[in-house]
Amino acid sequence: MHAQLDWYDLTDEERKIRDLAIDVARSEIAPRADEHDREGTFVRESIDALGKSGLLGVFVPKEYGGMGGSPLAATLAIEAVSAACGSTGMSFMFHCNLIHVVDGAGPDSLKEKYFPQFAAGKLGAFAINEQRRLFRERFDTVAEEDGDDYIINGEKPFVTSAGEADVYIVQVQLSDVPSPIPVMGQRYILVEGAYPGVGAFVYDPMGLRGASNGGITLKDVRVPKENAVGDEPDPMVRSVATKGNSVFSPHLIALGCAGAALDEAISHARKSGSEWMSHTLAPLSDQLNAARAYTYYVARLMEGPVSQRLNHAHNEIQRLGGEVGPTVCDRAMEIVGGGSFMRTSPIQRYYRDARGSCYPAFSMEHRRANVADGLYGRAAYDEQPPSMPWDPHADYNFWLLWARGSMHLPEEAKQRMSREAFEDFARSRGSEEMTVELCAEYMTSAGRPPAGVGGPPGGPPGGPPGGPPAGVGSGGSPQPG
Ligand SMILES: Cc1cc2nc3c(=O)[nH]c(=O)nc-3n(C[C@H](O)[C@H](O)[C@H](O)COP(=O)(O)OP(=O)(O)OC[C@H]3O[C@@H](n4cnc5c(N)ncnc54)[C@H](O)[C@@H]3O)c2cc1C
């Protein structure tokens, strides 16, 4: 097992969790990794071992029966598991990410319902992507209201732990939310794998072969409305902000695999004694540790509130890890030589699994775009100082949904989605400050005033006062992923 970076300020509890993860990974997970990779079978025993040791509850707060580990403790656990088996690491990471989103976005009733189950060994997964521009286009998976339930229909073509997870966080389009901004009419809803109408299929991928990479189908699935994620007044923005303010990302799997590959290369180079190998090893080690250090810093930032800095760092580590991880594995294979290409060497599995981690959440091109959006968004944000007090959460919404997407907006839309337009809307409601509620109302209804109430000045000609910008709708909205 590779020597993980001993981050300079690990607490005793974090060290204990990391050591437990290394121990479980070494004794229970690593011995099975090759077989699952070869056979393409789900890493069920490894997930069970994580459940038995309590590690599936590493990020579940203690009050719900979990370990209550810090973001950094969970990060180190995911990295250690990924070094032993990328497939188990990927399923584990999405599980922790689901817990993080519900923990940050609420509501408490969902934590009470599901967190004790996750701490006891149930597995969570993400069913988000459907080959649409995430957060920019309408989704085909639709939830319709039926009394106290939603009826969900659709298909998610890419899901890690497909058919194996107990609970999926599913991104749906609500049929009754009139917002012209697709993401504001969407919700994350927790769907249990055992609900009638939930089906699954599995692919035969080149890497992460034990992670049951497949898809899920949803046919007339009845889900209680209480399973919708996110506190009012802006459940989706809370969910998206929580997800995008996190260290949990597929790049952790790439870093784990790279650490394991580097260890193989180090032991080979030591035996061989060739000088050129040390020249190759050095930049692999320092790049990997630089990516780890940035990752651990992001984990520490997560202990504070959502912020522009954290969201930007989240996007940067995702891209950086996606680049460094496979590169380290690739160069480590060169050091080991032709033997590394054979099934008898674990290093080719590390390479394939690290490469596989470059798709989930966002492909590499989208990771680059996310970083660039953050760079442009900073300037767009600075150009529009507020003229009234803004609640910090409302201000983050403005930055995330408007400033960060400013590059994608047509000129006319930029004018209408300006800070000034938000503030005009608040004033039309008789407020001299921008609250979360007003911000959410402006975004979900595009600022349409209720019947009989006059709208703010500056609304688009021919449209509702203060209404949505032209060009914002399916495919045109600026939301970052
Ligand atoms: C192993 C694996 C596990 C996964 N697990 C999950 C999961 O658990 N949950 C989940 O929801 N999803 C999951 N996914 C799906 C993943 O999120 C998507 O594959 C990813 O977001 C890319 O989407 P896509 O495959 O539809 O590619 P597309 O969006 O069709 O993109 C194809 C290529 O074109 C590039 N591209 C697209 N648009 C542009 C543009 N405007 N400019 C430049 N380049 C562009 C992309 O970067 C990509 O390289 C998984 C995927 C894989 C491979």
Side-chain angles (χ1 to χ4, degrees), residues 251 253-259 261-262 284 287-288 291 318-332 350-351 353-355 357-358 364:
H251 91 285
I253 287 75
L255 297 187
C257 292
L262 185 60
L284 301 189
Q287 283 171 46
L288 176 58
Q318 222 172 58
R319 192 215 67 79
L320 181 65
E323 183 171 297
V324 168
T327 302
V328 169
C329 292
D330 180 61
R331 300 287 283 149
Y350 304 144
Y351 173 78
D353 288 354
R355 188 64 188 83
S357 77
C358 295
M364 289 303 284

Side-chain angles (χ1 to χ4, degrees), residues 49 52 201 232 234 246 264 348 379-380 387 435 438 464:
K52 233 163 111 187
F201 52 91
E232 295 294 341
D234 53 353
S246 150
E264 287 285 320
Q348 44 78 29
S387 70
T435 62
L438 283 167

Side-chain angles (χ1 to χ4, degrees), residues 94 126-129 131 158-160 213 359-363 365-366:
F94 275 119
F126 260 62
I128 305 286
N129 203 284
Q131 297 186 304
F158 283 116
V159 179
T160 295
N213 278 299
Y359 299 93
F362 294 101
S363 59
E365 190 56 32
H366 279 146

Side-chain angles (χ1 to χ4, degrees), residues 59 70-72 100 103-104 241-242 245-247 297-311 396:
F59 206 59
S70 68
L72 183 51
H100 163 64
D103 194 35
T242 305
N245 271 259
S246 150
V247 71
Y297 163 76
V298 171
R300 277 283 180 257
L301 282 183
M302 263 178 90
E303 292 174 15
V306 297
S307 68
Q308 298 175 21
R309 184 161 68 148
L310 175 49
N311 175 259
Y396 182 82

Side-chain angles (χ1 to χ4, degrees), residues 68-115:
S70 68
L72 183 51
T75 298
L76 293 170
I78 294 167
E79 199 184 327
V81 167
S82 301
C85 172
S87 294
T88 311
M90 190 62 84
S91 291
F92 185 28
M93 186 281 297
F94 275 119
H95 167 87
C96 291
N97 206 0
L98 186 160
I99 292 164
H100 163 64
V101 171
V102 175
D103 194 35
D108 286 347
S109 56
L110 268 192
K111 300 179 201 173
E112 279 150 23
K113 184 171 174 184
Y114 285 108
F115 280 9

